[in-house]
Every structure is written in C-alpha cells, then in structure tokens.
Amino acid sequence: MVELIIKKRDGFELTKDEYQTIIDGFVSGNIPDYQISAFMMAVFFEGLTNSETANLTDIMMRSGELIDLSEIEGIKVDKHSTGGVGDKTTLVLAPLVAAAGVPVAKMSGRGLGHTGGTLDKMESIKGLSVDMTRQEFIDNIKKHNIAVCGQNANLVPADKKLYALRDVTGTVENTSLIASSIMSKKLACGADAIVIDIKVGHGAFMKTVEDAEELAKIMIGIGSKMNRKVITVITSMSQPLGFTIGNALEVKEVIDTLKGNGPEDLTTLCLELGSQMLVLGEVAKTQSEGIDILKKLIDSGAAFNKFKELVKAQGGDLNVVEQTDLLPSTQFSEVYKSKSEGYISDLNALDIGLASVKLGAGRETQESVIDHGAGIVLKKKIGDYVNKDETLAILYSNNSVNFAKANEFMDLVYKISKEKPLVKPLILKTIT
Ligand code: URA
C-alpha cells in the first residue's frame, strides 16, 4: 500500500488490479484507514484519469449486491440528484414518469447534513414503509410500474466505508471521487439509463457551473463505458426549490405539484428531468413531446393517481394524501420577519437547510429522530420585494427551544438590496 500511495502521490496512473487490491483491502479491514486516507489525499491533489475513475467505479460497484431488474419489462430509467434543499423532485417525478409508462425502480436515501432525503419525506405519510425485500420491490414495479425503497446495507459497501472516511479527511470535493461514488451506486441499482440532476450553488457540493460540467462529463463517460445512457442536467441551488423545507411540508407541496398547483420552479424542473427520462425510456421521441405527455398526465389526474397507487402499495394511509391537513404538524410555529426593506438578492440554501435541521426536520447525528412536521415555509424568494417587519418565512417545530437555534441560521439566510437582482435561471445546462 505504501508503494501505491507513493505512485499516486507522484502523479502516476494506477492499474485496475492495483485499485482492486486497495478496495478489497479497505473493505476487509486489511488496509488501515490511515493508509486509505493518505491515498485519498494523493488522489485529491493528483486527480484520476478517466480510465482510473471508470475502473474504481466498476470495482466499487461490484463490492456488494448488484440489483438485477431484467425481469421487469421496458427500459428502466433512474434519476439522481446530487442533493439540495427543499428538493422533493423524486416524489413528483417517480409517479409522473411511471404514469407515462416508464418503469420506476427507485432506491433512495435519507437526509444528510443540511439536505433532506426522499425516504424521510415519504415516512411522513402514516403507515408508509420504505423497507421491502428485493422480490417485493420487483413485484411492486411489475404490478404498479413504481416502487421506492431504501438502499440495503449490501449495496456498494465500499462506497459506504470510503465516503465515511472521505467525509472526515477533507477528501470529498474531488470530481472523480464524487463521480465514482455516485455512479457506483446508480449502476449497482440496475437501471438501463440515468438522468442526473447536478446542483450548483451554495446549497450544493458543486459551487461553480465549470465544476458541475466536469462532474457531468466524467459521469457520462463512466456510463458509456458501462453501456448505460446518462443525461446530466445542471441546475441552480442558489435558493431552495419550491417554498417548503421539511418532510411533511414538502409532501404537501409534492401533492400540489402532482395536481398541477405546485410552485413554478419545482414544476419546471420536474418537466425538464421527467421529459429526459421519457426520451431515455423511449416513450417520447423528443423532449418537447415528453413535456406535453407529462403536462397531460398532471391535468388528467393520472399523475396524482399514480402517487396514490404508490402510497397504497407501500402501506401508506390514503386519507393523509387526500386531506393533507392530516399530515404531521407541529405544536409551535414562529414567524421570521425581514429586518429591512428592499429586494431579496440572496437566499442562502445552505443556511436555511441548517435552520431546518435545528427545527428537527433533519438529523444532527445518525441517531437523531426526525420531527416530520418540522420545517420552514418560505413566503418570499429571490427577486421579491419586502417591507421591514414583513414575513419572510414561517418556522415550525414541536420543540419550542429549537427556534432560537434555528433563528441564528435564519439571520444568515437573506441579503436585502435596494436594486432588483437578476434572478438566475433554474436550468443552467443539459449535457447528454
Ligand atoms: N454524493 C455521493 O453519493 N458521493 C459523493 O462523493 C458526493 C455526494
């Protein structure tokens, strides 16, 4: 291992066998964490060639179970987001695309740091379970064209261990390592094609469009080496998506969107990503045809009906979906007011995500219990004018002590200016 660390430190390319040795040794515990940490830091500074990235991805992907979706007919198209605040896209897209005829086999994650997770959002629906056996998952897709479940512990164990180490050794922010981490998990899930939403902005891993483009190209390259089509859409995470942050609050917004009454940014993003999924799934010939199909499914109620079918199939209480005031709520709420007047020129997604975690909507440690009703509803977004003392947001929590902690972050969220700011477009670039 010392020789391999030195080889990478000195800028040389490693062979596939050498990566196999490193990953096998790390997963089995034969190579200690301190040597893997040193190796990751060498990678961080020296980078990986495209061929090394593809080899590392392939080896990580094979470190655990590979999901075989071949018994499900049709082109299976997966979707991934690199993570954002208020990003409830999966819960809109999955039923929408399934209603259009593309089988959706979705394995999702839980909230991480300041970003939320699809599974936590779904569990705010009473009774709904995201735990199922592999066969139940496949059977649900065959019957309903959709299933959403958690990733089991044996899916890409090498990434689980490596990501935990990168997280505490300052080696997360390397595009090759991020690409291999995401792609190893997506490829192990067995889809034929993947649409990836790469978020850019202060609420996201990628801070610039240039970095996001580099990540996009690496992921597309890995996909093509593995015979999977990958489309990447680079989107802005300079402010939260929609108006809600927090699990039950976001489910309500998902339902509104599926019924055609959702916020414009969320609806636009779902139509953009969804239409790409229809093209990859060969249900639409062009993106604009895909958008037309999806709009009709929303207008006819078919998209919302598919969501209800998903909820019912996974044991959820349909009354909660029909009457969203039955979703978890909170005992306490507090209004957050503007301290000055002017245009909102910045609405920091990272800090608002952290404020929502303090309210109980996310986890501070892996053991934290989520308060499904907790979160934030935005009343204003970038470009809106506010008067002094006008409401910017409403905070919700079941623990009144949380408001003071959340407010410390809320005080960092907004920038108010005299000039009306230019609102950046949501969809920045599509790379196919
Ligand atoms: N998300 C992942 O799954 N892996 C990374 O390395 C970064 C973000």
Side-chain angles (χ1 to χ4, degrees), residues 80 82 112 159 163 166 172 174 177-179 181-182 185 205:
H80 180 79
T82 58
L112 241 185
D159 178 65
Y163 190 84
R166 286 169 55 215
V172 168
N174 171 278
L177 293 177
I178 294 177
S181 165
I182 293 175
K185 287 175 286 202
F205 275 112

Side-chain angles (χ1 to χ4, degrees), residues 85-88 114 240-253 330 332-337 347-362 371-381 391-398 402-403 405-411 413-414:
V85 177
D87 185 2
K88 64 277 291 173
H114 66 285
L241 202 54
F243 290 95
T244 60
I245 302 121
N247 301 288
L249 295 168
E250 291 191 42
V251 167
K252 160 121 185 27
E253 200 166 52
T330 60
F332 307 104
S333 66
E334 222 181 83
V335 170
Y336 186 82
K337 291 182 178 166
L347 205 171
N348 190 305
L350 170 62
D351 288 320
I352 208 156
L354 292 170
S356 75
V357 172
K358 294 289 174 198
L359 292 168
D371 174 354
H372 283 102
I376 300 169
V377 174
L378 304 175
K379 294 292 171 191
K380 303 276 176 189
K381 294 189 72 174
T391 301
L392 286 172
I394 304 179
L395 316 189
Y396 295 90
S397 183
N398 276 306
N402 290 344
F403 290 106
K405 290 185 277 178
N407 278 325
E408 283 177 25
F409 284 101
M410 289 302 290
D411 287 344
V413 168
Y414 297 93

Side-chain angles (χ1 to χ4, degrees), residues 67-78 94 98-99 101-107 132-149 189-191 306 309-310 313-314:
I67 314 291
D68 181 3
L69 299 176
S70 58
E71 50 175 302
I72 301 162
E73 276 180 37
I75 303 172
K76 277 75 66 184
V77 186
D78 202 351
V102 175
V104 176
K106 188 87 192 85
M107 293 196 178
M132 54 186 92
T133 64
R134 195 61 61 236
Q135 199 52 50
E136 283 166 339
F137 181 63
I138 299 214
D139 289 347
N140 271 8
I141 302 161
K142 280 183 174 169
K143 203 161 162 196
H144 305 288
N145 219 28
I146 184 168
V148 182
C149 75
C189 286
K306 188 52 87 177
E309 197 180 329
L310 166 74
Q314 297 192 198

